[in-house]
Amino acid sequence: MGPARSLEHPTPEQMSLDAVLSALADPLRRTIVAQLAGDHDDQACIAFALPVSKSTSTHHFRVLREAGVISQHYRGTSILNGLRTEDLNLRFPGLLDAVLAAN
Amino acid sequence: MGPARSLEHPTPEQMSLDAVLSALADPLRRTIVAQLAGDHDDQACIAFALPVSKSTSTHHFRVLREAGVISQHYRGTSILNGLRTEDLNLRFPGLLDAVLAAN
DNA sequence: ATCGTAGTATGATGGTTATCGTACAAGTAA
DNA sequence: TTACTTGTACGATAACCATCATACTACGAT
């Protein structure tokens, strides 16, 4: 069956403040982050019930992943999404908490 | 001589996280914020030596002011710019510090 | 093998943004 | 008044971004 499909994630050093702030500046993406922070981690994209089309949803999850805000890995036909809390706190201390508290 | 020209500033309650994060997501605007935080307040726009035209500079200062990040008031032919540290800390606790530390 | 589910790729569209140049306004100083 | 300084208004342009629909892939279940 070969290796599972994989997705690119930036290391903490590779994360840019530009990308993280731009990612968090979108309200739809902040609802994703807030849900991951509030409920448990590892939720499939479909569990978010976003008020946009599937392709738009894909777009927003990718922006978050490429910025380093969330992790994504395949699990069957789904993708499990997780908040990269520790990595974010390491790279940009206090930022995630401030944004979550302000939301 | 009539009242001095004045500029609109949002109250802390009127500040939106969307607008603040979008404003801070631009690197040029973060250099403005960092300079205001590092050096003294009340610096004229021209004191920032931004690598863009005058009209682009005006645009960025306006984005920061309309988001609530900076204050601007006329002083002769200049505008004195100040960082709205207290208002930001009131409305979005920890956010400004996190962004400044990460910059 | 067939079907259904979860998400992606691609291309289009409309809106927003960063940038500039030019012309202008308001204030200060000569 | 005239000239200079500082910033604004306006219009143009190019890049970017959020959104969608359609067609597609990968996996799991029947």
Side-chain angles (χ1 to χ4, degrees):
Chain A
M1 54 174 266
R5 292 172 289 170
S6 73
L7 292 162
E8 294 272 328
H9 294 79
T11 64
E13 294 77 26
Q14 288 170 336
M15 294 178 189
S16 98
L17 184 55
D18 265 41
V20 171
L21 289 177
S22 295
L24 295 176
D26 185 280
L28 197 61
R29 291 193 287 260
R30 282 204 308 280
T31 66
I32 295 173
V33 171
Q35 181 167 334
L36 282 172
D39 306 359
H40 51 89
D41 253 16
D42 296 330
Q43 302 180 59
C45 296
I46 210 173
F48 291 81
L50 301 176
V52 291
S53 71
K54 275 201 304 177
S55 34
T56 300
S57 182
T58 294
H59 163 69
H60 286 299
F61 279 98
R62 177 166 43 207
V63 170
L64 287 170
R65 173 175 49 80
E66 292 182 344
V69 177
I70 66 170
S71 62
Q72 298 192 289
H73 45 270
Y74 286 98
R75 175 79 169 247
T77 62
S78 300
I79 281 186
L80 298 186
N81 298 280
L83 191 55
R84 294 184 63 184
T85 313
E86 291 181 15
D87 288 339
L88 284 170
N89 285 338
L90 186 69
R91 183 72 173 80
F92 305 117
L95 181 59
L96 181 60
D97 285 344
V99 171
L100 286 172
N103 208 22
Chain B
M1 53 174 267
R5 291 172 288 169
S6 75
L7 292 162
E8 293 274 329
H9 294 78
T11 65
E13 294 78 27
Q14 289 171 335
M15 294 179 189
S16 97
L17 184 55
D18 265 41
V20 170
L21 289 178
S22 295
L24 295 175
D26 185 279
L28 197 62
R29 290 193 287 260
R30 282 203 307 281
T31 67
I32 295 172
V33 172
Q35 180 167 336
L36 282 174
D39 305 1
H40 52 88
D41 253 16
D42 296 331
Q43 302 180 59
C45 296
I46 208 172
F48 291 81
L50 301 176
V52 290
S53 71
K54 276 200 305 177
S55 32
T56 299
S57 182
T58 294
H59 163 69
H60 286 297
F61 280 98
R62 177 166 42 206
V63 170
L64 286 171
R65 173 175 50 79
E66 291 181 345
V69 177
I70 66 171
S71 61
Q72 299 192 289
H73 45 268
Y74 287 99
R75 174 78 170 248
T77 62
S78 300
I79 281 187
L80 297 186
N81 298 279
L83 191 55
R84 295 184 62 184
T85 312
E86 291 180 15
D87 288 339
L88 285 170
N89 286 338
L90 187 68
R91 183 71 174 81
F92 305 117
L95 182 59
L96 181 60
D97 286 344
V99 171
L100 286 172
N103 208 23

